[in-house]
């Protein structure tokens, strides 16, 4: 662990840190200490920033880079490799329907169709009210409980078009607190 | 032999530490830390014949024996591959969500065996529920003194760093996983150097799959001879077979290696859904390709499947029903692999895109006679001079589809080009 990397983390650009809740800023500063090299903390830092903002924008890339000691351009090169990092806003409930083999064999296209009908959006689109966005994703490791979809990495399994309609209604009803809405929808499922 | 991997799979939430201790968990790990030497653990695992469950089936004890021995010149690491992303595979998730302490006890013993004081558990980003179960379980161990500066009160130290991936199938390849762990793009590294020499953060590293490590506590508890009493001579032990697709009772089934695909599909998974006919089955995850139903009596072990020109892979069986064409199913995979190549090597990048275009052509009923030769050339060409074996993964479904289901592709050709009688 290099001493200069340490100094850099403590001297985080004030403007950037101030935008963050204090607890999150402290957590981000501590993450590199878990790794033999500061850079190991890059993916976890990006996850936390995305959870907070909903996506990652250039300020987040600069901040992440400052913390681990690399340039914002290099952060961008890394994050653009991974499908879970979003470079622009998505819906409050980003829906990812698995399109891979076991889900497809069990009717995943009907789930996509149901979302389209209910919300009027195709994969890659966001509803006008900003509540939902739709995406097709690859195998989620839920093949034995197919077909399935995920919302912020929370899974809904053994789905039917009716269950999808019920899920959308529950999420919509809880839109003021998305994380809580997703949790309670999971418990009811 | 009783089940030793899936005892908790029927639960709705994870087995917590208090209950795990009541079931006798961590007694083996404690005995290892208090009474055994790393060599003894490695020898037991070597003698057991345990082979890696991540798909490559490399002997685990031998992998561990490559790790440095004292005097150590710096840290060694254990890296746990929990990136499970091979379509048709969901066994590691079941272990982590239902029985995180089974994996963690394996990690304790594995770390001891290779003299690692830090273990990095790399879990795919989407497995958030499993991540949370593991985070809780790790905190329980820290509280109990089973991790930290004095593991079980001995002089041994161990910490486990839980690390989330961010969505990239290729990060399951072990050297891509190491790059990703280091905060880089998840691109595979040229080998050599192998991870045992230059792994995570440049240090000697053993990368082991979740299910592999979940086998270790039982092996050390009951001994190598016990483990070898089931399975095949070359691949002993149980495997968590995932069965999905069009079957009556999809799920994870713990059975001896060498169980036939027929027994798994018909007896355990209840046969094809709705009593329909089977068009094809995939023996061990997307990259192992298609087999026709006549091959259902194949024994599910690495050697038997190799004889059929395929692989055991992850043991995730996928059943394709009669009403779905193999051309369409092959397209699901060609699109997947095209999406998931890391793009470093041009034969792989171009080959995966090109083959997807050709399969799409067949799907539209516009295949041409030359396309068969083209696909074969793509598969041959893309296997040359690439950094990792990804091209073999995408050639699996492609090659087997053309080999066993050529007729379907022939009827998906443009009418002018239909095969001559
Ligand atoms: C494209 C590709 C994807 C892979 N994905 C995984 C995976 O998701 N999980 C896994 O354990 N191994 C995966 N592997 C195998 C690993 O490279 C490595 O062999 C394994 O983690 C070693 O652990 P084991 O010896 O316990 O099986 C993959 C390999 C390739 C080439
Ligand atoms: S073979 Fe393909 S996946 Fe592997 S390193 Fe090369 S481009 Fe990446
Ligand atoms: S194919 Fe959909 S979860 Fe695996």
């Amino acid at each position: 662990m290099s001493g200069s990397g340490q100094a850099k983390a403590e001297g985080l650009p004030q403007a950037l840190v101030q935008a963050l809740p204090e607890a999150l800023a402290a957590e981000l500063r501590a993450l590199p200490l878990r790794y033999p090299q500061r850079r190991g903390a890059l993916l976890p830092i990006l996850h936390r920033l995305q959870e907070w903002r909903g996506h990652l924008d250039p300020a987040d890339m600069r901040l992440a880079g400052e913390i681990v000691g690399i340039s914002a351009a290099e952060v961008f090169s890394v994050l653009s490799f991974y499908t879970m990092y979003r470079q622009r806003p998505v819906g409050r409930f980003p829906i990812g329907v698995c399109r891979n083999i076991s889900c497809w064999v069990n009717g995943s296209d009907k789930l996509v169709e149901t979302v389209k009908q209910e919300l009027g959006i195709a994969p890659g689109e966001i509803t006008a009210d900003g509540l939902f966005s739709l995406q097709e994703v690859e195998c989620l490791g839920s093949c034995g409980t197919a077909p399935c979809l995920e919302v912020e990495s929370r899974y809904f399994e053994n789905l039917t078009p009716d269950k999808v309609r019920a899920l959308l209604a529950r999420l919509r009803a809880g839109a003021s607190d998305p994380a809580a809405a997703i949790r309670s929808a999971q418990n009811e499922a | 032999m009783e089940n030793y991997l899936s005892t908790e799979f029927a639960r709705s939430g994870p087995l917590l530490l208090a209950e795990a201790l009541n079931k006798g968990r961590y007694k083996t790990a404690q005995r290892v830390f208090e009474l055994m030497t790393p060599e003894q653990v490695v020898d037991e695992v070597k003698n057991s014949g345990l082979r890696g469950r991540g798909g490559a089936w490399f002997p685990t004890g031998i992998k561990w024996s490559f790790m440095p021995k004292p005097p150590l010149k710096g840290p060694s690491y254990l890296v746990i591959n929990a990136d499970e992303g091979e379509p048709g595979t969901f066994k590691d998730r079941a272990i982590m969500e239902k029985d995180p302490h089974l994996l963690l006890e394996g990690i304790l013993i594995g770390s001891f065996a290779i003299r690692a004081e830090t273990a990095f558990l790399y879990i795919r980003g989407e497995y958030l529920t499993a991540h949370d179960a593991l985070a809780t379980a790790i905190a329980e161990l820290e509280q109990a003194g089973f991790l930290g500066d004095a593991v079980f009160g001995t002089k041994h130290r161990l910490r486990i760093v839980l690390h989330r991936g961010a969505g990239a199938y290729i990060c399951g390849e072990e050297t891509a996983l190491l790059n990703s762990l280091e905060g880089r793009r998840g691109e595979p590294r040229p080998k050599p150097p192998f991870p045992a020499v230059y792994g995570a953060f440049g240090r000697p590293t053993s990368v082991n799959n979740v299910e592999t490590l979940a086998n270790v506590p039982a092996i050390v508890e009951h001994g190598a001879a016990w483990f070898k009493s089931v399975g095949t001579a070359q691949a002993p032990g149980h495997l968590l077979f995932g069965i999905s697709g069009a079957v009556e009772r999809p799920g994870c089934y713990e059975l001896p290696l060498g169980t036939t695909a027929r027994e798994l599909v018909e007896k355990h998974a209840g046969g094809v859904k709705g009593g329909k006919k089977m068009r094809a089955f995939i023996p061990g995850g997307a990259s192992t390709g298609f087999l026709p139903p006549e091959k259902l009596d194949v024994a599910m072990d690495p050697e038997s499947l190799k004889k059929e020109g395929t692989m055991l892979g992850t043991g995730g069986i996928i059943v394709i029903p009669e009403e779905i064409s193999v051309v369409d199913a092959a397209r699901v995979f060609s699109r997947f692999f095209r999406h998931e190549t890391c793009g470093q090597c041009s034969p792989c990048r171009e080959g995966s895109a090109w083959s997807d275009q050709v399969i799409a052509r067949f799907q539209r009923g516009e295949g041409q006679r030359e396309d068969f030769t083209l696909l074969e050339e793509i598969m041959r060409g893309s296997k040359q001079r690439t950094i990792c074996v990804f091209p073999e993964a995408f050639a699996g479904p492609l090659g087997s589809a053309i080999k066993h289901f050529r007729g379907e592709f022939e009827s998906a050709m443009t009418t002018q080009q239909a095969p001559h009688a």
Side-chain angles (χ1 to χ4, degrees):
Chain A
M1 208 173 295
S2 81
S4 66
Q6 187 68 40
K8 246 187 196 148
E10 275 148 19
L12 289 179
Q14 251 349 81
L16 287 173
V17 180
Q18 269 164 7
L20 294 181
E22 189 41 52
L24 177 56
E27 187 191 336
L28 296 185
R29 255 182 257 122
L31 276 170
L33 305 174
R34 306 173 67 199
Y35 296 86
Q37 294 165 7
R38 304 190 65 85
R39 188 171 174 158
L42 183 56
L43 266 56
I45 289 171
L46 293 173
H47 275 305
R48 294 295 289 120
L49 285 167
Q50 176 163 292
E51 278 162 27
W52 171 66
R53 192 191 294 281
H55 68 282
L56 294 165
D57 74 19
D60 301 314
M61 298 176 206
R62 279 199 300 280
L63 174 59
E66 288 283 348
I67 298 175
V68 304
I70 61 176
S71 71
E74 205 161 355
V75 173
F76 175 77
S77 150
V78 173
L79 76 86
S80 61
F81 185 85
Y82 298 94
T83 55
M84 286 179 73
Y85 297 130
R86 309 164 186 140
Q87 292 161 46
R88 56 192 70 79
V90 291
R92 222 177 270 190
F93 300 107
I95 296 172
V97 180
C98 172
R99 66 175 184 186
N100 215 295
I101 190 80
S102 305
C103 289
W104 174 68
V105 162
N106 284 295
S108 61
D109 43 356
K110 291 197 195 81
L111 306 186
V112 173
E113 205 42 54
T114 306
V115 177
K116 271 189 194 166
Q117 277 168 11
E118 292 289 304
L119 304 175
I121 50 171
E125 295 177 354
I126 312 180
T127 53
D129 59 8
L131 276 191
F132 296 95
S133 53
L134 176 62
Q135 203 190 345
E136 287 183 303
V137 299
E138 297 298 355
C139 177
L140 291 167
S142 184
C143 332
T145 38
C148 78
L149 64 76
E150 53 91 24
V151 188
E152 297 288 38
S153 299
R154 297 297 178 189
Y155 288 14
F156 297 87
E157 308 179 273
N158 292 312
L159 290 172
T160 60
D162 279 345
K163 286 191 196 167
V164 170
R165 275 186 281 269
L167 169 64
L168 295 176
R170 281 197 199 102
L171 294 178
R172 186 185 295 282
S176 58
D177 185 351
I182 295 168
R183 259 197 313 277
S184 81
Q186 259 195 323
N187 292 337
E188 284 172 65
Chain B
M1 184 187 288
E2 283 179 18
N3 285 351
Y4 60 91
L5 295 168
S6 60
T7 56
E8 308 303 318
F9 282 11
R11 310 173 60 86
S12 57
L15 179 76
L16 298 175
L17 183 61
E19 215 182 318
L21 293 175
N22 285 337
K23 293 179 186 246
R25 301 291 186 84
Y26 291 104
K27 279 195 182 138
T28 307
Q30 182 162 7
R31 184 165 61 85
V32 164
F33 275 80
E34 286 175 350
L35 302 172
M36 289 179 78
T37 64
E39 285 78 9
Q40 285 172 325
V41 179
V42 172
D43 282 345
E44 195 69 52
V45 172
K46 219 193 256 180
N47 293 338
S48 77
L50 174 67
R51 290 162 69 184
R53 268 48 171 164
W57 294 90
F58 190 83
T60 306
I62 294 180
K63 185 185 280 188
W64 287 355
S65 70
F66 296 152
M67 293 294 286
K69 296 172 190 61
L72 301 180
K73 295 195 190 75
S76 296
Y77 298 126
L78 178 68
V79 170
I80 300 91
N81 189 340
D83 196 50
E84 191 164 71
E86 175 80 3
T89 312
F90 44 97
K91 65 198 175 67
D92 296 342
R93 176 183 166 211
I95 295 172
M96 295 186 286
E97 285 188 2
K98 303 298 166 79
D99 202 356
H101 285 295
L102 178 65
L103 169 61
L104 292 172
E105 186 169 7
I107 294 174
L108 260 63
I109 300 172
S111 302
F112 180 90
I114 63 165
R115 302 179 170 85
E117 295 185 343
T118 306
F120 295 99
L121 205 175
Y122 184 107
I123 182 166
R124 70 176 287 189
E126 294 87 346
Y127 278 4
L128 196 49
T129 301
H131 171 276
D132 294 351
L134 286 164
T136 303
I138 290 169
E140 288 178 321
L141 293 185
E142 285 166 348
Q143 277 245 287
F146 294 6
L147 286 173
D149 288 334
V151 179
F152 299 113
T154 67
K155 63 177 176 26
H156 298 284
R157 305 197 305 182
L158 179 63
R159 65 183 187 117
I160 300 177
V161 177
L162 189 52
H163 183 97
R164 278 178 80 197
Y169 165 75
I170 192 60
C171 287
E173 196 280 337
E174 58 185 10
T175 59
L177 185 144
L178 295 174
N179 272 338
S180 181
L181 175 65
E182 292 180 7
R184 300 172 199 283
R185 294 165 66 86
E187 289 165 344
R189 301 172 178 173
K191 286 189 259 192
F194 290 93
V197 174
Y198 188 94
F201 305 100
R203 298 301 312 167
T205 300
S206 174
V207 183
N208 293 102
N209 166 264
V210 169
E211 185 183 351
T212 308
L213 289 163
N215 274 272
V216 169
I219 290 172
V220 177
E221 181 183 355
H222 303 293
W226 168 86
F227 190 71
K228 285 198 286 199
S229 69
V230 294
T232 66
Q234 289 177 77
H238 283 180
L239 187 71
L240 291 171
F241 292 97
I243 312 180
S244 69
V247 291
E248 282 293 332
R249 291 189 297 276
C252 237
Y253 294 90
E254 175 178 351
L255 284 151
L257 278 153
T259 303
T260 66
R262 185 181 302 283
E263 179 182 335
L264 287 159
V265 171
E266 292 179 358
K267 182 167 158 211
H268 298 285
V272 184
K273 201 172 170 180
K276 289 193 185 137
K277 282 217 184 90
M278 180 187 296
R279 178 169 300 261
F281 73 102
I282 293 157
S287 47
T288 63
F290 303 94
L291 286 174
E294 302 83 73
K295 299 283 184 190
L296 270 174
D297 290 308
V298 66
M300 293 287 290
D301 63 79
E303 285 62 44
S304 303
L305 281 157
K306 194 168 175 203
K307 278 191 213 126
E308 294 297 344
T310 177
M311 298 175 294
L312 177 57
T314 61
I317 298 178
I318 306 159
V319 171
I320 309 293
E322 182 179 33
E323 71 267 22
I324 286 178
S325 82
V326 169
V327 176
D328 286 345
R331 179 76 209 290
V332 171
F333 291 142
S334 64
R335 186 183 58 185
F336 170 73
F337 287 113
R338 175 188 195 168
H339 183 247
E340 300 296 340
T341 167
C342 87
Q344 280 189 102
C345 323
S346 45
C348 174
R349 185 181 62 238
E350 308 296 327
S352 57
W354 205 3
S355 57
D356 183 47
Q357 283 164 23
V358 177
I359 301 284
R361 204 140 71 208
F362 278 108
Q363 208 180 17
R364 291 193 306 267
E366 294 168 8
Q368 307 194 346
R369 182 138 297 277
E370 306 84 77
D371 284 342
F372 290 107
T373 338
L374 187 56
L375 283 176
E376 264 145 36
E377 270 167 22
I378 295 170
M379 286 188 285
R380 228 189 348 268
S382 61
K383 280 184 197 169
Q384 285 160 12
R385 296 182 311 277
T386 56
I387 292 174
C388 84
V389 298
F390 185 94
E392 289 176 37
F394 83 72
L398 216 62
S400 60
I402 303 172
K403 178 174 161 197
H404 296 294
F405 300 89
R406 195 181 176 98
E408 279 192 38
F409 284 84
E410 285 178 340
S411 33
M413 301 205 301
T414 47
T415 35
Q416 311 90 291
Q417 311 249 347
H420 302 292

